[in-house]
Every structure is written in structure tokens, then in C-alpha cells.
Amino acid sequence: MSALEKIIIDEISKKGCMPLDEYMALCLGHPQHGYYMTRDPFGRAGDFITAPEISQTFGEMIGAWLMDTWQKMGSPAKFALVECGPGRGTLMRDILRVAKLLEPFKAAAKVYLAEMSPVLMEIQKETLKDETINWIVDIKDLPSTMPVIFIGNEFLDALPVKQYVMKNKQLHERVVVYRDNALQIVAQDEGGGHAEIEDGAILENSPAVELFWRQMLARIKAQTGAALFIDYGYLQKRAGDTLQAVKGHQPVSILEAPGECDLTAHVDFEMLDLIAKESGFTSQRITQGAFLRKLGIRARAETLMKNNAAKAASIANDINRLIEPDRMGGLFKVIAVTSPTLTAEGFA
Ligand code: SAH
């Protein structure tokens, strides 16, 4: 039994059970044994691969979006460019490379990386060693004196979710218990009523995503700015269990080897959109494929392929993986939040 499994079982024997969001938070973020706290999970040799690790054009398109948004904000002389969950720092490296095309933007951007993992922070330091970067653990530690633009790729899907199951018109929270010498998931007895969903359907929500989103929007409201988040998820809310574990690019049980597998859940973009609109922002959401195409990823790919004929086929394949509707282009969604006077590029 791993050290983390023992910690989880001890906690369950004290309290009787553990809600799924608590379980997910421990698996990913336990200070000593959490998945992200102990390793670099990315790439072919790791457990999964993300868009910025697949193609430099991903970061370049986000860079183009940022420069456009900054100009629409009136080109402020100083602003905080905040990336949440920056992984290896690859996305920010690609953004800052294209930012050289617009020197006043590059000079204005004070870069903040919000990262909880000391291991990944070291890798980000290496990737971005030629840049001036500030690290924070929580967005509450950002300066309050300048406009702020937030970005994040596959950050929200790493925040813990809760699950409920409908039985006899009651919502029952799904929790982790320890029975017959094994971790198991069961639906708890208590719960509130919920008439719309059929019995047995699983519902998810993420108080952690909601809290983060509200805190972020409050910052943008107070300091002006914008946000762009990209993730696995659905544009319209739906029922269903999307909590998944991946190890070595293969799906595994979420209870197998806690702390050794990546855990993610689909992001509810409808909820993000509703909260943003309720708070007075303009909010737009679209598939990743449509977003990247509108920002000109194909033209950029053509140039790269011309400049590197030997790699043209692999460049084309990587771009297709990012934009095709039955691959990441359709699975991943993008949401942009701006103050009502701005129209974000890439959505119309
Ligand atoms: N954006 C990167 C990495 C995605 S993986 C990419 O696209 O490749 C998720 C990232 O979020 C990791 O860097 C992880 O350490 C970080 N992370 C997860 N939960 C976090 C939290 N609660 N606070 C800060 N960072 C977190």
C-alpha cells in the first residue's frame, strides 16, 4: 500500500467516508505524495500530452489573442499576464516568443505563473530562464494595481469535483469508503431533492472551479482585464460521470494507485459562462478547433511547413490533432471573458 493510500484510508476510518472532491484534491495535490507534486507527467514518456506540448502554434495563437485583447483594452503600459497551471512552461514560452512581434505588449506584460507543484515550478524556471517571471501559488497573491489577463490550458479540469447520484428523486453524494480491504465509491444516504434528472443519473459539480472562477472575475472587475481558458468539457451542461484517471496514456480506475495517476473531470463551460454574464462580463464559448482556425492556425502551419519541409508531414499531423472536430478540436472548448465594451477575437 502506498503512503498516500494509507493516509486516505486513515482519514476514511476517522470520518466514515471521503467526498470525491477531497479524494481528488489529495491525489493531485497532497504536499508530499500528490501526483503533480512529485513528477513531470507530460509527454510521450509520461502519462498524457497537452496542446502546447503537441505544437508551438497553439501558444502562438494564444499569443495573438492576447496581443489583440491587450490592444482592445487600450494598450495599458503595465498589466499582469497570469497563467494558471502552466505545466512545463511551454505555452508561456511560445506566447513570449511571438510577443516579440509587438514590443510594447511584451514590455507591458508582467508575467505571473500560478503553480502549486514545486517540481513543475523548477521545470518552468528552466523553460523560461531568459524571461522575467513571478511565481505565485494562489491568485489572491497577485498585485492589485494593474489590469490583469488570465489564461489557463487544462487547469480547470485538474480542480476537484463532487458527484451526486439521483435515487428516488433525491441527490446522494458519491463518496469514497474502505470496504472489504479496498477503496470503493458509494452513494451516501442523505441528500436534497432534484426533480429534473432521471433516477440513477450522475451529476457533477465543482465548488473548486466555481470558487476559482468567481475570485478571478472579481479581480478582473476590480482591475479591468480579460480571461481565456481552454479545457476538456461541454458547452451545455449535461448529466454524466466524467471523472477519469490516466496513467501511461491509458485509462485506469480512479481508485487504483491514488497519487500515481492523473485525475481530471470535464469542465462545465455553461456554468462558467452563466457566472461571467451574471457578473456583467461579455462571455463567449466555442470549440478549440473553431477558435484556432479563426485565429489563423492554418496559415501559420503553412509557413512552418515551408520553412521546414522535412518535418511538413508531422507539423500537419500535429495541427490536425489540435483542430479536427473528432479529436482535440472538438473535445476541447474555449471560453473568453472580457469587459462588455470589448469583443474578443476568435469567436465571431
Ligand atoms: N497548462 C499545462 C499543464 C496542464 S496540467 C499544459 O497545458 O501543458 C495542470 C497544471 O495545473 C499543472 O501545472 C498542475 O501542477 C497545476 N495545478 C493543478 N491544480 C492546481 C492548483 N490547485 N493550483 C495551482 N496549480 C494547479
Side-chain angles (χ1 to χ4, degrees), residues 151-334:
I151 57 168
N153 182 59
E154 291 211 46
F155 167 69
L156 298 173
D157 71 352
L159 299 184
V161 291
K162 284 185 176 292
Q163 286 188 339
Y164 300 87
V165 66
M166 274 300 287
K167 271 185 199 155
N168 306 324
K169 305 250 182 272
Q170 296 278 311
L171 277 182
H172 299 268
E173 183 162 3
R174 299 185 84 218
V175 293
V176 184
V177 293
Y178 188 62
R179 281 186 193 159
D180 307 326
N181 296 321
L183 292 174
Q184 297 183 16
I185 297 178
V186 298
Q188 247 189 348
D189 292 339
E190 310 86 0
H194 197 287
E196 289 157 40
I197 308 288
E198 281 174 40
D199 279 11
I202 289 177
L203 289 176
E204 284 177 351
N205 78 359
S206 174
V209 168
E210 208 178 314
L211 180 68
F212 165 80
W213 196 245
R214 288 186 188 281
Q215 284 175 341
M216 183 196 78
L217 292 174
R219 280 252 164 206
I220 301 176
K221 193 150 225 176
Q223 296 169 220
T224 73
L228 184 76
F229 281 79
I230 304 134
D231 229 306
Y232 264 110
Y234 35 86
L235 293 174
Q236 254 71 44
K237 185 158 189 72
R238 56 169 87 137
D241 173 10
T242 74
L243 183 54
Q244 55 188 12
V246 166
K247 190 169 172 52
H249 300 268
Q250 297 299 322
V252 292
S253 153
I254 66 157
L255 298 176
E256 184 184 312
E260 300 290 316
C261 330
D262 185 38
L263 294 183
T264 59
H266 280 29
V267 174
D268 177 0
F269 281 79
E270 184 174 2
M271 185 267 289
L272 301 180
D273 185 73
L274 281 173
I275 295 176
K277 284 183 176 140
E278 273 169 24
S279 319
F281 291 96
T282 297
S283 164
Q284 292 165 282
R285 56 200 204 278
I286 199 171
T287 63
Q288 171 175 299
F291 179 73
L292 293 176
R293 279 198 309 274
K294 283 176 183 158
L295 287 172
I297 196 169
R298 281 199 193 282
R300 177 65 185 138
E302 295 294 329
T303 310
L304 285 176
M305 285 155 75
K306 259 189 220 130
N307 294 345
N308 196 344
K311 284 207 176 142
S314 89
I315 293 170
N317 184 49
D318 292 342
I319 305 287
N320 287 339
R321 189 167 170 192
L322 294 185
I323 63 175
E324 281 175 358
D326 56 346
R327 301 167 85 186
M328 291 170 87
L331 286 173
F332 280 73
K333 313 297 187 299
V334 185

Side-chain angles (χ1 to χ4, degrees), residues 6 23 27-28 51 71 102 138 140 167 172 279 290 307 310:
K6 185 163 177 350
Y23 176 77
C27 288
L28 295 180
Q71 282 180 328
L102 189 62
D138 195 293
K140 67 175 187 303
K167 271 185 199 155
H172 299 268
S279 319
N307 294 345

Side-chain angles (χ1 to χ4, degrees), residues 1-169:
M1 185 184 300
S2 73
L4 186 57
E5 206 167 351
K6 185 163 177 350
I7 290 167
I8 290 169
I9 292 168
D10 286 350
E11 190 66 19
I12 291 174
S13 56
K14 265 188 249 154
K15 295 194 178 148
C17 68
M18 181 180 285
L20 275 177
D21 58 341
E22 219 173 284
Y23 176 77
M24 188 171 171
L26 281 175
C27 288
L28 295 180
H30 183 278
Q32 281 85 46
H33 312 293
Y35 178 76
Y36 281 116
M37 310 308 263
T38 52
R39 77 200 70 216
D40 169 12
F42 307 103
R44 285 181 224 293
D47 290 320
F48 61 98
I49 187 158
T50 58
E53 304 294 335
I54 291 172
S55 169
Q56 68 180 78
T57 58
F58 182 79
E60 290 168 350
M61 295 303 114
I62 309 286
W65 184 90
L66 284 166
M67 290 188 270
D68 178 76
T69 302
W70 173 76
Q71 282 180 328
K72 285 176 174 158
M73 284 162 56
S75 309
K78 225 184 190 188
F79 75 102
L81 170 55
V82 186
E83 185 182 356
C84 299
R88 278 183 179 163
T90 310
L91 173 59
M92 189 52 78
R93 187 193 63 199
D94 293 338
I95 290 169
L96 295 177
R97 192 183 55 251
V98 284
K100 290 188 187 132
L101 298 172
L102 189 62
E103 205 34 68
F105 168 86
K106 179 114 193 332
K110 308 293 160 218
V111 179
Y112 289 83
L113 299 182
E115 176 57 70
M116 69 171 178
S117 160
V119 176
L120 290 175
M121 211 182 274
E122 285 309 310
I123 297 172
Q124 292 152 17
K125 278 187 185 148
E126 181 56 30
T127 309
L128 293 159
K129 58 178 181 294
D130 301 329
E131 306 287 350
T132 306
I133 308 284
N134 306 283
W135 274 269
I136 53 172
V137 174
D138 195 293
I139 61 168
K140 67 175 187 303
D141 301 324
L142 285 168
S144 55
T145 47
M146 53 181 109
V148 56
I149 308 182
F150 290 90
I151 57 168
N153 182 59
E154 291 211 46
F155 167 69
L156 298 173
D157 71 352
L159 299 184
V161 291
K162 284 185 176 292
Q163 286 188 339
Y164 300 87
V165 66
M166 274 300 287
K167 271 185 199 155
N168 306 324
K169 305 250 182 272

